[in-house]
Amino acid sequence: MFSLQLSLLQVFFLMVPERVLSQPSPSPSRAVPTHSDLGPRTQGGTLQSSEVPGISTVGPTVATSSTPGNKTVDLFPVLPICVCDLTPGACDINCCCDSDCCLLHPRTVFSFCLPGSVRSSSWVCVDNSLIFRSNSPFPSRVFMDSNGIKQFCVHVNNSRLNYLQKLQKVNATNFQALATEFGGESFTSTSQTQSPSAFYRAGDPILTYFPKWSVISLLRQPAGVGAGGLCAKSNPAGFLESKSTTCARFFKNLADSCTSDPALNAASYYNFTVLKVPRGMSDLQNMEFQVPVTAVSQADSPVLAGNTCQNVVSQVIYEIETNGTFGIQKVSVSFGQTNLTVEPGTSLQQDFIIHFRAFQQSTAASLSGYRSGNPGYIVGKPLLVLTGDIRHSMTLVQSQGDGTCSIKRHKVQFGVNAVSGCKLRLKRVDCSHLQQEIYQILHGSPRPEHIAIFGNADPAQKGEWTGILSRNYSVSDMHCTSCCVIPVSLEIQILWAYIGLQSNPQAHVSGARFLYQFQSIQDSQPETEVPLTTVVTFVDITQKPEPPRGQPRMDWKYPFDFFFPFKMAFSRGAGSPKGSIFPTIILCLLLLGVLNLETK
C-alpha cells in the first residue's frame, strides 16, 4: 500500500507542468509565540500550553502576544497591596506579589499564584479548531484544557476587574439602615419568631411532655460513645429512623444506684407522653396532641435483695406507629430485665431499639419484617433464612467484654465477609448434650434450614427458598473411644450471582452450606475454655455474557473508470492549460485519503 502511494505521488509530479513547479510560493506568516507566563490560570493548576506550528495558512496558529506598535505590555504589574504577604521578612509560597521573594518572574518558580497576588485578568476562549488566523490586537495563546481539547484564548483588557471599592462611612444615622438592607436573620430572634412545624419530617427529634413537671423534652435513644461505649443519654431519636443502639454503664457503688438510678428503672422510659405533631407545643393542655406510652410487657422496679440488684433494665424496645403528616398515633414499649451482682466495677450493657411502622398495619405484615431487596439482595442487608415457617436473619456468635460467648449475636450482611469468635467454658455433661449445645451456639437458635434466594422471599412460597447443605460428624467418625468430638468452628459459604439485565442486575443466592471443624477432648479432662469461631464468605459466581461483536468492516470498491482522469492528463502532456492542474491535484488528494482510510 505504501508503494502504491509513492507511485501516485510520482504521477502527480509528472502531471504538473514545469512552469507551475518553478513558481515561488508565498512565505508563511511569522507568529510571535506568547510568553510562558501568560495564560488563564487557576489556583492549584495551570492550563497546559500547546505549541502549534506557525504556518497560519494551514491551520490554527500560535497567536501573538504583541500589541500594535511593538510595545511590551505587562499584564501583571506590581500590586500596591499584597494580601498574601503574611510572613514579614520571609517569602510566602505562591505569593507572586511578595517583595521578600526577590523574584523577577515569580511564575517561573511558583506552580501558581494565589488569588489577589496578581491583577485580575479576563480571558475569552473558544475551540481552537474554529480559528484559522488570529487578527486580535490583544495577547492570545492556544492552551490545552483538562479534557485534552485545545482552546484558543484571548486576553481582554477589562479594567473593571481592577476597580477599587472605597470603604463606606458608617455612623449612628445609617447604621440601622445598612444592617436592615444587607443583614440576615438574627440568632437571637430566630427562636422567638419561629413557630412549631405543622408535622414531623424524617429525622426530626420527637417531642415528649412530662405532665408531672410540665416540661417539654425529647425522646432519647442512648448510644455508646468512646472506646468503652459509654451510654450518652442525650442522643435524640429521629422521626421515621428505625435503628438499634448499644451502650455500657459502669457503677462504682451498685448498692446505691440500684434503686436511685432512673436508667435502671423501667418506669422512667414511659412516664411521659409523646406529642403527635410539633405544633402540640403551643397547646399542651389539649390532650388530642398527646399520645401516652403504653408498656406491653410487665416490668417491675429494681429491688436490692442481699448482694443482688434485681429487675435491672437491659433492653428497651419502642414501637411507634405513624400516619403521615397526621403524626404519631401510637407508642408502645417493652423491656428486657436482668439481675446484677453487687461488686466493685460492675457493668451493664443496655440495648435500645426504636421501630417505626405505618398506623394500623396488619400484624402479619409487621411480623414478616423488612425486605433485604426487591427482588435482588442489596449489599449490607441481612441475609434471610427460614426455619419451618419462621423467617429470620442468619447470625454469628458474639463475645462479651470478657471474651465469653454472649446470648446476643451479629447479623450476617449480604455480600460482607465476616469472622467472629468467643470462648465457651465447658462443663461436665454428656458428650451428645455438649455437642448439641455447641451446634446451637455456632449457628444460632433456631437452626437455619433454608436460605432466601432473593431479598423479598415470602415464607409461604417454598420455591423462593433453597436448602442449606451441611455435614455433622459423630464420635464414631473420629474413631475415638474415650473422648468427645465437639465442633469448634463453622464456616458458612454463600454462592451468589447477578442475573437479569446488565443495566439493572439483581443479586440472588445460588446455594449455601455449613462446614464444621472439630476437636476432640478427653472425657476426664477438667473444665476448660474452648474458642469457638464462625466465618461467613460470599463467592460471586456471576457468568457475564459475551460482549457484542463489532460493526462489519466496509468493503471499498472503486468504479471501473476511476483512473480515467489520470489517463486523460497523461495524454495531454505538459502543454496542457494552466488551470487543468487543479482538478488533477484534487483527484490525487481524494485518492490518498481513501487509501489512508482503508489502511486504518
Side-chain angles (χ1 to χ4, degrees):
M1 184 58 65
F2 182 74
S3 60
L4 178 57
Q5 297 182 11
L6 292 178
S7 62
L8 289 175
L9 292 176
Q10 294 176 3
V11 171
F12 168 72
F13 284 105
L14 288 175
M15 292 188 296
V16 178
E18 187 173 338
R19 61 179 179 272
V20 176
L21 296 174
S22 63
Q23 293 178 357
S25 59
S27 60
S29 62
R30 300 182 62 185
V32 181
T34 306
H35 193 275
S36 61
D37 287 349
L38 303 181
R41 293 171 179 256
T42 58
Q43 182 175 358
T46 304
L47 292 178
Q48 298 179 358
S49 173
S50 176
E51 296 295 338
V52 182
I55 304 178
S56 62
T57 58
V58 177
T61 65
V62 177
T64 64
S65 63
S66 60
T67 59
N70 295 328
K71 296 181 179 179
T72 303
V73 178
D74 187 5
L75 296 179
F76 305 102
V78 179
L79 296 177
I81 300 176
C82 189
V83 296
C84 57
D85 186 5
L86 304 179
T87 308
C91 178
D92 292 274
I93 304 300
N94 296 326
C95 184
C96 295
C97 61
D98 191 350
S99 59
D100 297 324
C101 297
C102 299
L103 297 176
L104 183 61
H105 300 288
R107 292 176 180 271
T108 60
V109 178
F110 297 145
S111 58
F112 64 94
C113 290
L114 291 171
S117 62
V118 294
R119 288 190 180 275
S120 299
S121 59
S122 177
W123 289 86
V124 179
C125 301
V126 296
D127 196 314
N128 187 45
S129 62
L130 303 177
I131 304 300
F132 184 74
R133 180 186 289 114
S134 172
N135 297 323
S136 172
F138 300 103
S140 59
R141 200 177 183 189
V142 178
F143 294 93
M144 190 82 70
D145 64 6
S146 58
N147 297 324
I149 302 175
K150 293 182 179 180
Q151 299 286 332
F152 177 81
C153 301
V154 176
H155 184 276
V156 182
N157 186 14
N158 186 0
S159 59
R160 290 180 300 176
L161 295 176
N162 294 293
Y163 281 172
L164 295 178
Q165 179 67 35
K166 295 183 178 180
L167 182 64
Q168 297 187 56
K169 294 183 178 180
V170 180
N171 50 37
T173 304
N174 61 355
F175 189 97
Q176 184 59 36
L178 292 175
T180 304
E181 181 181 357
F182 300 100
E185 296 182 358
S186 174
F187 287 101
T188 56
S189 60
T190 301
S191 60
Q192 298 174 2
T193 60
Q194 186 177 6
S195 59
S197 175
F199 50 86
Y200 288 110
R201 291 176 173 83
D204 287 350
I206 300 173
L207 300 174
T208 59
Y209 177 64
F210 291 83
K212 184 177 180 179
W213 300 282
S214 299
V215 173
I216 296 177
S217 183
L218 302 176
L219 181 63
R220 309 292 182 177
Q221 185 177 12
V225 295
L230 299 178
C231 289
K233 61 181 181 179
S234 59
N235 180 52
F239 183 70
L240 295 182
E241 294 182 351
S242 299
K243 60 182 179 180
S244 174
T245 58
T246 301
C247 62
R249 299 184 187 274
F250 295 88
F251 306 95
K252 295 182 178 179
N253 189 351
L254 182 59
D256 295 338
S257 302
C258 180
T259 56
S260 61
D261 193 342
L264 307 181
N265 194 344
S268 62
Y269 295 98
Y270 63 93
N271 61 343
F272 52 84
T273 60
V274 176
L275 299 185
K276 286 185 177 181
V277 289
R279 70 169 181 263
M281 296 173 56
S282 58
D283 190 4
L284 295 175
Q285 304 302 322
N286 190 351
M287 299 304 297
E288 293 182 359
F289 290 114
Q290 300 181 25
V291 179
V293 180
T294 306
V296 296
S297 62
Q298 183 179 0
D300 299 327
S301 300
V303 176
L304 183 61
N307 198 33
T308 303
C309 182
Q310 301 177 353
N311 305 328
V312 175
V313 173
S314 61
Q315 186 181 59
V316 181
I317 303 176
Y318 284 105
E319 293 283 343
I320 303 177
E321 298 184 14
T322 63
N323 189 13
T325 57
F326 293 98
I328 297 173
Q329 305 297 317
K330 184 179 179 181
V331 181
S332 60
V333 61
S334 58
F335 301 96
Q337 293 183 311
T338 186
N339 299 331
L340 296 178
T341 302
V342 177
E343 58 185 7
T346 304
S347 63
L348 170 66
Q349 182 172 304
Q350 290 182 315
D351 297 325
F352 299 91
I353 302 172
I354 296 182
H355 179 225
F356 290 86
R357 68 183 183 190
F359 182 57
Q360 295 180 347
Q361 185 178 6
S362 63
T363 306
S366 61
L367 292 177
S368 60
Y370 290 110
R371 299 181 181 134
S372 294
N374 191 23
Y377 273 102
I378 299 175
V379 175
K381 294 295 183 180
L383 187 64
L384 304 180
V385 291
L386 187 70
T387 302
D389 294 331
I390 302 176
R391 189 182 77 163
H392 54 100
S393 301
M394 184 175 289
T395 57
L396 303 177
V397 297
Q398 179 177 345
S399 61
Q400 302 184 51
D402 57 355
T404 58
C405 296
S406 173
I407 58 174
K408 301 172 184 177
R409 301 179 62 86
H410 291 293
K411 288 187 178 181
V412 176
Q413 298 175 341
F414 179 81
V416 179
N417 296 336
V419 58
S420 64
C422 63
K423 295 184 296 182
L424 176 65
R425 181 174 297 276
L426 301 181
K427 301 178 181 180
R428 293 182 178 274
V429 294
D430 181 67
C431 180
S432 60
H433 184 270
L434 181 60
Q435 288 178 340
Q436 295 301 323
E437 180 184 357
I438 298 178
Y439 276 129
Q440 183 175 353
I441 295 175
L442 290 175
H443 51 61
S445 178
R447 184 185 187 279
E449 299 175 352
H450 298 82
I451 188 170
I453 299 177
F454 288 100
N456 63 345
D458 186 359
Q461 302 295 329
K462 300 303 181 182
E464 299 179 1
W465 304 80
T466 181
I468 300 176
L469 306 176
S470 63
R471 180 181 179 184
N472 297 342
Y473 286 91
S474 62
V475 178
S476 59
D477 295 332
M478 303 293 293
H479 304 287
C480 183
T481 56
S482 61
C483 61
C484 180
V485 179
I486 58 174
V488 293
S489 176
L490 169 62
E491 181 181 1
I492 305 173
Q493 295 181 344
I494 310 294
L495 303 182
W496 68 280
Y498 282 116
I499 62 173
L501 298 175
Q502 294 190 45
S503 59
N504 187 22
Q506 302 295 315
H508 81 293
V509 173
S510 302
R513 69 174 178 177
F514 288 166
L515 295 179
Y516 297 94
Q517 292 184 1
F518 297 85
Q519 176 182 335
S520 60
I521 58 173
Q522 298 294 329
D523 293 339
S524 59
Q525 185 175 354
E527 294 185 3
T528 182
E529 290 183 348
V530 175
L532 302 181
T533 307
T534 53
V535 181
V536 57
T537 56
F538 289 84
V539 182
D540 185 1
I541 60 173
T542 303
Q543 296 182 356
K544 298 183 179 180
E546 296 182 0
R549 298 181 179 179
Q551 297 295 330
R553 184 179 180 85
M554 293 185 179
D555 187 11
W556 294 95
K557 294 183 179 180
Y558 305 107
F560 67 93
D561 59 347
F562 182 79
F563 294 96
F564 177 76
F566 304 100
K567 295 179 181 179
M568 295 300 297
F570 280 116
S571 63
R572 292 180 181 180
S576 59
K578 179 179 178 180
S580 62
I581 188 61
F582 295 102
T584 305
I585 294 175
I586 294 175
L587 290 174
C588 291
L589 293 177
L590 290 174
L591 179 60
L592 290 174
V594 171
L595 293 176
N596 287 333
L597 289 175
E598 188 176 4
T599 56
K600 289 182 180 180

